[in-house]
Amino acid sequence: MGKSPEKRNRVFSGVQPTGQLHLGNYLGAIRNWVKLQDSYECLYCVVDLHAITVFQDPKALRASTREVAAALIASGIDPEKSILFNQSRVAAHAELAWIFNCVARIGWLNRMTQFKDKAGKNKEKASVGLYVYPNLMAADILAYKANLVPVGEDQRQHLELTRDIAQKFNNDFGVDHFPLVDPLILQEAARIMSLRDGRQKMSKSDPSDYSRINMTDDTDAIAQKIRKARTDAEPLPVRVKDLANRPEAANLVAIFAALAEKSRDDVCAEYEGKGFADFKKVLTALMVEKLGPITGEMNRLMADHTHIDGILNDGAGRARDLAAPVLRETHEIMGFLGA
Ligand code: TRP
């Protein structure tokens, strides 16, 4: 069944402007976002309102917002085709989040594993914003009636909550207003793990910079980090399944495969019998070849604040235009006067 134009697939995703973007973000998310632009109308949002659920230094937040925008554009997000903006510039997100604070149940939020992880032992000291973080995320998506949301596995529970909120709103008011989102769980590019510990995800919050390749790393930094990456003394096996108990070795193969857009088995077959000292050399060369141009373009973009800020400003304007009728209709449904 064909969809009417107003029901066509719309993609929404968000990335927090906290810390540096790294290879895991690029291979796990950004590269897929770029591909989705060919098939869908896409909104990509730098979620600064989510970032402040834990304290952010204003100067760092500003720099990080520009850096994320630059990384997305340098990676191939086309700001003409897609809508690229920062969340705080579009008031509809915060407005709809308030409404969803009144739709979502405390019991639902109490089940969110990410809150438990992020709040840690001292939940009393976490911000209220961190607790209602998933409601804001639902608002991000539903303000545009987006129905496709590419995220990592760690966000699945938040998307289920988004569905619950949409469903409850629709039931409470007897309408078919908000769509039920489909998670597009991105996993084909493999989970990219830390270069220091093959059992931990590559993360911007890891205290060791040697655990990750940042998107701003230059050739020397990449070469040094790969050289120091943990491995073992065994050569590459012929098949990827023989890497089962060698997490660091498996990770380097997975990174190579993702960068080369080949299967891990093909990579093993190609380099079978080689030691990791040699494999690291080809991996470094490939990484520099793939990331070098992106890093160069990012640096160029980040040097020109006026240009980046102009792109975000334009995106925010287009986002506001899309969200306005959804908010108006939502208010009307709920009985807010003045629509
Ligand atoms: N919570 C997401 C993350 O940490 C970021 C995010 C915020 C998001 N709003 C979103 C992702 C809406 C998808 C859709 O990765």
PDB file of all heavy atoms in Angstrom, residues 12-16 33 45 47 50 87 93 114 118 133 136-141 148-152 154-155 158-159 162, ligand 1:
ATOM      1  N   PHE A  12      14.288  10.814  11.850  1.00  0.00           N
ATOM      2  CA  PHE A  12      14.827  11.758  12.832  1.00  0.00           C
ATOM      3  C   PHE A  12      15.894  11.047  13.637  1.00  0.00           C
ATOM      4  O   PHE A  12      15.704   9.914  14.077  1.00  0.00           O
ATOM      5  CB  PHE A  12      13.735  12.255  13.799  1.00  0.00           C
ATOM      6  CG  PHE A  12      14.234  13.329  14.736  1.00  0.00           C
ATOM      7  CD1 PHE A  12      13.971  14.667  14.471  1.00  0.00           C
ATOM      8  CD2 PHE A  12      15.006  13.012  15.852  1.00  0.00           C
ATOM      9  CE1 PHE A  12      14.466  15.664  15.306  1.00  0.00           C
ATOM     10  CE2 PHE A  12      15.519  14.007  16.690  1.00  0.00           C
ATOM     11  CZ  PHE A  12      15.225  15.335  16.420  1.00  0.00           C
ATOM     12  N   SER A  13      17.028  11.715  13.839  1.00  0.00           N
ATOM     13  CA  SER A  13      17.966  11.189  14.829  1.00  0.00           C
ATOM     14  C   SER A  13      18.710  12.332  15.502  1.00  0.00           C
ATOM     15  O   SER A  13      18.706  13.464  15.003  1.00  0.00           O
ATOM     16  CB  SER A  13      18.936  10.169  14.248  1.00  0.00           C
ATOM     17  OG  SER A  13      19.467   9.386  15.318  1.00  0.00           O
ATOM     18  N   GLY A  14      19.305  12.027  16.618  1.00  0.00           N
ATOM     19  CA  GLY A  14      19.976  13.060  17.405  1.00  0.00           C
ATOM     20  C   GLY A  14      21.321  12.590  17.906  1.00  0.00           C
ATOM     21  O   GLY A  14      21.553  11.399  18.080  1.00  0.00           O
ATOM     22  N   VAL A  15      22.183  13.562  18.115  1.00  0.00           N
ATOM     23  CA  VAL A  15      23.503  13.261  18.703  1.00  0.00           C
ATOM     24  C   VAL A  15      23.825  14.358  19.711  1.00  0.00           C
ATOM     25  O   VAL A  15      23.552  15.536  19.476  1.00  0.00           O
ATOM     26  CB  VAL A  15      24.594  13.111  17.608  1.00  0.00           C
ATOM     27  CG1 VAL A  15      24.679  14.348  16.737  1.00  0.00           C
ATOM     28  CG2 VAL A  15      25.956  12.799  18.201  1.00  0.00           C
ATOM     29  N   GLN A  16      24.369  13.939  20.847  1.00  0.00           N
ATOM     30  CA  GLN A  16      24.656  14.909  21.905  1.00  0.00           C
ATOM     31  C   GLN A  16      25.974  15.641  21.657  1.00  0.00           C
ATOM     32  O   GLN A  16      26.963  15.009  21.295  1.00  0.00           O
ATOM     33  CB  GLN A  16      24.773  14.192  23.251  1.00  0.00           C
ATOM     34  CG  GLN A  16      23.454  13.641  23.730  1.00  0.00           C
ATOM     35  CD  GLN A  16      23.451  13.424  25.237  1.00  0.00           C
ATOM     36  OE1 GLN A  16      23.967  14.245  26.001  1.00  0.00           O
ATOM     37  NE2 GLN A  16      22.885  12.326  25.673  1.00  0.00           N
ATOM     38  N   TRP A  33      23.549   7.527   8.591  1.00  0.00           N
ATOM     39  CA  TRP A  33      22.693   8.701   8.420  1.00  0.00           C
ATOM     40  C   TRP A  33      22.892   9.288   7.029  1.00  0.00           C
ATOM     41  O   TRP A  33      21.940   9.729   6.387  1.00  0.00           O
ATOM     42  CB  TRP A  33      23.019   9.779   9.449  1.00  0.00           C
ATOM     43  CG  TRP A  33      22.686   9.430  10.876  1.00  0.00           C
ATOM     44  CD1 TRP A  33      22.274   8.212  11.357  1.00  0.00           C
ATOM     45  CD2 TRP A  33      22.752  10.307  11.999  1.00  0.00           C
ATOM     46  NE1 TRP A  33      22.075   8.307  12.707  1.00  0.00           N
ATOM     47  CE2 TRP A  33      22.363   9.561  13.131  1.00  0.00           C
ATOM     48  CE3 TRP A  33      23.106  11.649  12.155  1.00  0.00           C
ATOM     49  CZ2 TRP A  33      22.312  10.135  14.404  1.00  0.00           C
ATOM     50  CZ3 TRP A  33      23.050  12.205  13.419  1.00  0.00           C
ATOM     51  CH2 TRP A  33      22.665  11.457  14.531  1.00  0.00           C
ATOM     52  N   CYS A  45      19.644  16.223  14.418  1.00  0.00           N
ATOM     53  CA  CYS A  45      19.568  17.240  15.460  1.00  0.00           C
ATOM     54  C   CYS A  45      20.725  17.102  16.449  1.00  0.00           C
ATOM     55  O   CYS A  45      21.000  16.010  16.950  1.00  0.00           O
ATOM     56  CB  CYS A  45      18.234  17.046  16.187  1.00  0.00           C
ATOM     57  SG  CYS A  45      17.876  18.278  17.426  1.00  0.00           S
ATOM     58  N   VAL A  47      21.541  17.544  19.912  1.00  0.00           N
ATOM     59  CA  VAL A  47      20.602  17.647  21.038  1.00  0.00           C
ATOM     60  C   VAL A  47      21.234  18.313  22.267  1.00  0.00           C
ATOM     61  O   VAL A  47      21.558  17.675  23.256  1.00  0.00           O
ATOM     62  CB  VAL A  47      19.949  16.280  21.374  1.00  0.00           C
ATOM     63  CG1 VAL A  47      19.011  15.847  20.250  1.00  0.00           C
ATOM     64  CG2 VAL A  47      20.987  15.176  21.609  1.00  0.00           C
ATOM     65  N   HIS A  50      19.323  17.864  25.574  1.00  0.00           N
ATOM     66  CA  HIS A  50      19.646  16.603  26.255  1.00  0.00           C
ATOM     67  C   HIS A  50      21.002  16.697  26.958  1.00  0.00           C
ATOM     68  O   HIS A  50      21.188  16.155  28.046  1.00  0.00           O
ATOM     69  CB  HIS A  50      19.661  15.434  25.258  1.00  0.00           C
ATOM     70  CG  HIS A  50      18.311  14.874  24.962  1.00  0.00           C
ATOM     71  ND1 HIS A  50      17.674  15.048  23.759  1.00  0.00           N
ATOM     72  CD2 HIS A  50      17.460  14.154  25.734  1.00  0.00           C
ATOM     73  CE1 HIS A  50      16.493  14.452  23.807  1.00  0.00           C
ATOM     74  NE2 HIS A  50      16.337  13.902  24.980  1.00  0.00           N
ATOM     75  N   GLN A  87      18.877  21.561  18.763  1.00  0.00           N
ATOM     76  CA  GLN A  87      17.577  21.372  19.403  1.00  0.00           C
ATOM     77  C   GLN A  87      17.026  22.615  20.125  1.00  0.00           C
ATOM     78  O   GLN A  87      15.840  22.924  19.992  1.00  0.00           O
ATOM     79  CB  GLN A  87      17.783  20.237  20.413  1.00  0.00           C
ATOM     80  CG  GLN A  87      16.589  19.621  21.038  1.00  0.00           C
ATOM     81  CD  GLN A  87      17.058  18.573  22.065  1.00  0.00           C
ATOM     82  OE1 GLN A  87      18.174  18.652  22.586  1.00  0.00           O
ATOM     83  NE2 GLN A  87      16.225  17.595  22.333  1.00  0.00           N
ATOM     84  N   HIS A  93      10.397  21.386  20.758  1.00  0.00           N
ATOM     85  CA  HIS A  93      10.916  20.204  21.469  1.00  0.00           C
ATOM     86  C   HIS A  93      10.590  20.295  22.966  1.00  0.00           C
ATOM     87  O   HIS A  93      10.068  19.351  23.555  1.00  0.00           O
ATOM     88  CB  HIS A  93      12.431  20.076  21.272  1.00  0.00           C
ATOM     89  CG  HIS A  93      12.821  19.779  19.853  1.00  0.00           C
ATOM     90  ND1 HIS A  93      13.341  18.582  19.464  1.00  0.00           N
ATOM     91  CD2 HIS A  93      12.740  20.523  18.721  1.00  0.00           C
ATOM     92  CE1 HIS A  93      13.576  18.601  18.154  1.00  0.00           C
ATOM     93  NE2 HIS A  93      13.220  19.777  17.680  1.00  0.00           N
ATOM     94  N   GLN A 114      18.932   3.326  31.187  1.00  0.00           N
ATOM     95  CA  GLN A 114      19.963   4.344  30.986  1.00  0.00           C
ATOM     96  C   GLN A 114      19.984   5.345  32.137  1.00  0.00           C
ATOM     97  O   GLN A 114      21.046   5.801  32.540  1.00  0.00           O
ATOM     98  CB  GLN A 114      19.772   5.064  29.653  1.00  0.00           C
ATOM     99  CG  GLN A 114      20.961   5.947  29.327  1.00  0.00           C
ATOM    100  CD  GLN A 114      21.109   6.234  27.852  1.00  0.00           C
ATOM    101  OE1 GLN A 114      20.334   6.987  27.274  1.00  0.00           O
ATOM    102  NE2 GLN A 114      22.092   5.631  27.232  1.00  0.00           N
ATOM    103  N   LYS A 118      23.224   6.168  34.252  1.00  0.00           N
ATOM    104  CA  LYS A 118      23.814   7.515  34.282  1.00  0.00           C
ATOM    105  C   LYS A 118      23.724   8.160  35.645  1.00  0.00           C
ATOM    106  O   LYS A 118      24.609   8.919  36.037  1.00  0.00           O
ATOM    107  CB  LYS A 118      23.122   8.413  33.241  1.00  0.00           C
ATOM    108  CG  LYS A 118      23.566   8.136  31.811  1.00  0.00           C
ATOM    109  CD  LYS A 118      23.285   9.349  30.934  1.00  0.00           C
ATOM    110  CE  LYS A 118      23.569   9.052  29.484  1.00  0.00           C
ATOM    111  NZ  LYS A 118      23.115  10.131  28.601  1.00  0.00           N
ATOM    112  N   TYR A 133      14.538  12.696  30.566  1.00  0.00           N
ATOM    113  CA  TYR A 133      15.281  12.685  29.291  1.00  0.00           C
ATOM    114  C   TYR A 133      14.515  11.928  28.192  1.00  0.00           C
ATOM    115  O   TYR A 133      14.370  12.423  27.072  1.00  0.00           O
ATOM    116  CB  TYR A 133      16.645  12.050  29.574  1.00  0.00           C
ATOM    117  CG  TYR A 133      17.606  11.837  28.443  1.00  0.00           C
ATOM    118  CD1 TYR A 133      18.816  12.533  28.400  1.00  0.00           C
ATOM    119  CD2 TYR A 133      17.367  10.913  27.428  1.00  0.00           C
ATOM    120  CE1 TYR A 133      19.739  12.313  27.388  1.00  0.00           C
ATOM    121  CE2 TYR A 133      18.284  10.699  26.408  1.00  0.00           C
ATOM    122  CZ  TYR A 133      19.465  11.394  26.396  1.00  0.00           C
ATOM    123  OH  TYR A 133      20.363  11.173  25.384  1.00  0.00           O
ATOM    124  N   LEU A 136      11.744  13.922  26.505  1.00  0.00           N
ATOM    125  CA  LEU A 136      12.245  14.916  25.547  1.00  0.00           C
ATOM    126  C   LEU A 136      12.616  14.235  24.233  1.00  0.00           C
ATOM    127  O   LEU A 136      12.372  14.767  23.153  1.00  0.00           O
ATOM    128  CB  LEU A 136      13.454  15.657  26.144  1.00  0.00           C
ATOM    129  CG  LEU A 136      14.142  16.681  25.229  1.00  0.00           C
ATOM    130  CD1 LEU A 136      13.190  17.790  24.787  1.00  0.00           C
ATOM    131  CD2 LEU A 136      15.361  17.302  25.937  1.00  0.00           C
ATOM    132  N   MET A 137      13.155  13.056  24.342  1.00  0.00           N
ATOM    133  CA  MET A 137      13.526  12.314  23.129  1.00  0.00           C
ATOM    134  C   MET A 137      12.266  11.959  22.325  1.00  0.00           C
ATOM    135  O   MET A 137      12.248  12.062  21.090  1.00  0.00           O
ATOM    136  CB  MET A 137      14.305  11.068  23.543  1.00  0.00           C
ATOM    137  CG  MET A 137      14.898  10.320  22.396  1.00  0.00           C
ATOM    138  SD  MET A 137      16.191   9.185  22.974  1.00  0.00           S
ATOM    139  CE  MET A 137      16.115   8.005  21.645  1.00  0.00           C
ATOM    140  N   ALA A 138      11.216  11.565  23.017  1.00  0.00           N
ATOM    141  CA  ALA A 138       9.943  11.277  22.333  1.00  0.00           C
ATOM    142  C   ALA A 138       9.437  12.541  21.644  1.00  0.00           C
ATOM    143  O   ALA A 138       8.936  12.501  20.507  1.00  0.00           O
ATOM    144  CB  ALA A 138       8.914  10.764  23.341  1.00  0.00           C
ATOM    145  N   ALA A 139       9.589  13.682  22.319  1.00  0.00           N
ATOM    146  CA  ALA A 139       9.147  14.951  21.744  1.00  0.00           C
ATOM    147  C   ALA A 139       9.948  15.300  20.485  1.00  0.00           C
ATOM    148  O   ALA A 139       9.389  15.772  19.491  1.00  0.00           O
ATOM    149  CB  ALA A 139       9.268  16.069  22.773  1.00  0.00           C
ATOM    150  N   ASP A 140      11.259  15.045  20.520  1.00  0.00           N
ATOM    151  CA  ASP A 140      12.111  15.305  19.348  1.00  0.00           C
ATOM    152  C   ASP A 140      11.519  14.626  18.114  1.00  0.00           C
ATOM    153  O   ASP A 140      11.431  15.211  17.030  1.00  0.00           O
ATOM    154  CB  ASP A 140      13.510  14.697  19.528  1.00  0.00           C
ATOM    155  CG  ASP A 140      14.304  15.315  20.655  1.00  0.00           C
ATOM    156  OD1 ASP A 140      13.973  16.433  21.071  1.00  0.00           O
ATOM    157  OD2 ASP A 140      15.269  14.658  21.114  1.00  0.00           O
ATOM    158  N   ILE A 141      11.165  13.384  18.314  1.00  0.00           N
ATOM    159  CA  ILE A 141      10.729  12.543  17.202  1.00  0.00           C
ATOM    160  C   ILE A 141       9.316  12.913  16.772  1.00  0.00           C
ATOM    161  O   ILE A 141       9.019  13.102  15.582  1.00  0.00           O
ATOM    162  CB  ILE A 141      10.794  11.057  17.627  1.00  0.00           C
ATOM    163  CG1 ILE A 141      12.239  10.672  17.970  1.00  0.00           C
ATOM    164  CG2 ILE A 141      10.189  10.147  16.566  1.00  0.00           C
ATOM    165  CD1 ILE A 141      12.360   9.373  18.760  1.00  0.00           C
ATOM    166  N   LEU A 148      10.803   6.909  11.404  1.00  0.00           N
ATOM    167  CA  LEU A 148      12.005   6.071  11.327  1.00  0.00           C
ATOM    168  C   LEU A 148      13.110   6.728  12.144  1.00  0.00           C
ATOM    169  O   LEU A 148      13.457   7.893  11.913  1.00  0.00           O
ATOM    170  CB  LEU A 148      12.480   5.928   9.880  1.00  0.00           C
ATOM    171  CG  LEU A 148      11.548   5.178   8.924  1.00  0.00           C
ATOM    172  CD1 LEU A 148      12.137   5.194   7.520  1.00  0.00           C
ATOM    173  CD2 LEU A 148      11.321   3.749   9.387  1.00  0.00           C
ATOM    174  N   VAL A 149      13.654   5.974  13.072  1.00  0.00           N
ATOM    175  CA  VAL A 149      14.641   6.550  13.978  1.00  0.00           C
ATOM    176  C   VAL A 149      15.871   5.647  14.057  1.00  0.00           C
ATOM    177  O   VAL A 149      15.855   4.616  14.721  1.00  0.00           O
ATOM    178  CB  VAL A 149      14.019   6.765  15.382  1.00  0.00           C
ATOM    179  CG1 VAL A 149      15.022   7.437  16.306  1.00  0.00           C
ATOM    180  CG2 VAL A 149      12.753   7.605  15.287  1.00  0.00           C
ATOM    181  N   PRO A 150      16.934   6.012  13.341  1.00  0.00           N
ATOM    182  CA  PRO A 150      18.158   5.205  13.396  1.00  0.00           C
ATOM    183  C   PRO A 150      18.924   5.481  14.690  1.00  0.00           C
ATOM    184  O   PRO A 150      19.311   6.612  14.951  1.00  0.00           O
ATOM    185  CB  PRO A 150      18.957   5.676  12.171  1.00  0.00           C
ATOM    186  CG  PRO A 150      18.473   7.068  11.896  1.00  0.00           C
ATOM    187  CD  PRO A 150      17.059   7.163  12.415  1.00  0.00           C
ATOM    188  N   VAL A 151      19.092   4.461  15.476  1.00  0.00           N
ATOM    189  CA  VAL A 151      19.831   4.585  16.747  1.00  0.00           C
ATOM    190  C   VAL A 151      20.573   3.294  17.020  1.00  0.00           C
ATOM    191  O   VAL A 151      20.325   2.266  16.393  1.00  0.00           O
ATOM    192  CB  VAL A 151      18.887   4.842  17.952  1.00  0.00           C
ATOM    193  CG1 VAL A 151      18.335   6.239  17.957  1.00  0.00           C
ATOM    194  CG2 VAL A 151      17.780   3.804  18.017  1.00  0.00           C
ATOM    195  N   GLY A 152      21.450   3.355  17.980  1.00  0.00           N
ATOM    196  CA  GLY A 152      22.144   2.153  18.442  1.00  0.00           C
ATOM    197  C   GLY A 152      21.247   1.357  19.381  1.00  0.00           C
ATOM    198  O   GLY A 152      20.235   1.858  19.871  1.00  0.00           O
ATOM    199  N   ASP A 154      21.515   0.676  22.337  1.00  0.00           N
ATOM    200  CA  ASP A 154      21.327   1.255  23.678  1.00  0.00           C
ATOM    201  C   ASP A 154      20.126   2.197  23.763  1.00  0.00           C
ATOM    202  O   ASP A 154      19.695   2.556  24.853  1.00  0.00           O
ATOM    203  CB  ASP A 154      22.608   1.988  24.129  1.00  0.00           C
ATOM    204  CG  ASP A 154      22.956   3.166  23.224  1.00  0.00           C
ATOM    205  OD1 ASP A 154      22.637   3.120  22.015  1.00  0.00           O
ATOM    206  OD2 ASP A 154      23.552   4.138  23.716  1.00  0.00           O
ATOM    207  N   GLN A 155      19.592   2.595  22.621  1.00  0.00           N
ATOM    208  CA  GLN A 155      18.452   3.518  22.628  1.00  0.00           C
ATOM    209  C   GLN A 155      17.113   2.811  22.393  1.00  0.00           C
ATOM    210  O   GLN A 155      16.072   3.452  22.319  1.00  0.00           O
ATOM    211  CB  GLN A 155      18.645   4.614  21.572  1.00  0.00           C
ATOM    212  CG  GLN A 155      19.850   5.499  21.828  1.00  0.00           C
ATOM    213  CD  GLN A 155      19.708   6.255  23.130  1.00  0.00           C
ATOM    214  OE1 GLN A 155      18.690   6.869  23.396  1.00  0.00           O
ATOM    215  NE2 GLN A 155      20.737   6.191  23.971  1.00  0.00           N
ATOM    216  N   HIS A 158      14.357   3.537  24.902  1.00  0.00           N
ATOM    217  CA  HIS A 158      13.792   4.880  24.776  1.00  0.00           C
ATOM    218  C   HIS A 158      12.791   4.955  23.621  1.00  0.00           C
ATOM    219  O   HIS A 158      11.807   5.688  23.696  1.00  0.00           O
ATOM    220  CB  HIS A 158      14.902   5.912  24.565  1.00  0.00           C
ATOM    221  CG  HIS A 158      15.733   6.156  25.787  1.00  0.00           C
ATOM    222  ND1 HIS A 158      16.988   6.702  25.742  1.00  0.00           N
ATOM    223  CD2 HIS A 158      15.483   5.897  27.092  1.00  0.00           C
ATOM    224  CE1 HIS A 158      17.470   6.792  26.971  1.00  0.00           C
ATOM    225  NE2 HIS A 158      16.581   6.304  27.804  1.00  0.00           N
ATOM    226  N   LEU A 159      13.058   4.216  22.563  1.00  0.00           N
ATOM    227  CA  LEU A 159      12.117   4.233  21.432  1.00  0.00           C
ATOM    228  C   LEU A 159      10.826   3.491  21.774  1.00  0.00           C
ATOM    229  O   LEU A 159       9.745   3.864  21.326  1.00  0.00           O
ATOM    230  CB  LEU A 159      12.747   3.639  20.180  1.00  0.00           C
ATOM    231  CG  LEU A 159      13.871   4.464  19.571  1.00  0.00           C
ATOM    232  CD1 LEU A 159      14.206   3.942  18.182  1.00  0.00           C
ATOM    233  CD2 LEU A 159      13.512   5.928  19.483  1.00  0.00           C
ATOM    234  N   THR A 162       8.847   5.914  23.517  1.00  0.00           N
ATOM    235  CA  THR A 162       8.258   6.858  22.564  1.00  0.00           C
ATOM    236  C   THR A 162       6.967   6.270  21.971  1.00  0.00           C
ATOM    237  O   THR A 162       5.957   6.975  21.836  1.00  0.00           O
ATOM    238  CB  THR A 162       9.272   7.172  21.436  1.00  0.00           C
ATOM    239  OG1 THR A 162      10.454   7.714  22.018  1.00  0.00           O
ATOM    240  CG2 THR A 162       8.700   8.145  20.417  1.00  0.00           C
TER     241      THR A 162
HETATM  242  N1  TRP B   1      19.481   9.783  23.284  1.00  0.00           N
HETATM  243  C1  TRP B   1      20.186   9.694  22.046  1.00  0.00           C
HETATM  244  C2  TRP B   1      21.595   9.192  22.311  1.00  0.00           C
HETATM  245  O1  TRP B   1      22.136   9.446  23.373  1.00  0.00           O
HETATM  246  C3  TRP B   1      20.241  11.018  21.321  1.00  0.00           C
HETATM  247  C4  TRP B   1      18.873  11.479  20.925  1.00  0.00           C
HETATM  248  C5  TRP B   1      18.189  12.515  21.476  1.00  0.00           C
HETATM  249  C6  TRP B   1      18.069  10.926  19.911  1.00  0.00           C
HETATM  250  N2  TRP B   1      16.980  12.653  20.844  1.00  0.00           N
HETATM  251  C7  TRP B   1      16.870  11.691  19.887  1.00  0.00           C
HETATM  252  C8  TRP B   1      18.229   9.853  19.027  1.00  0.00           C
HETATM  253  C9  TRP B   1      15.848  11.393  19.017  1.00  0.00           C
HETATM  254  C10 TRP B   1      17.188   9.559  18.166  1.00  0.00           C
HETATM  255  C11 TRP B   1      16.012  10.328  18.151  1.00  0.00           C
HETATM  256  O2  TRP B   1      22.178   8.580  21.454  1.00  0.00           O
END
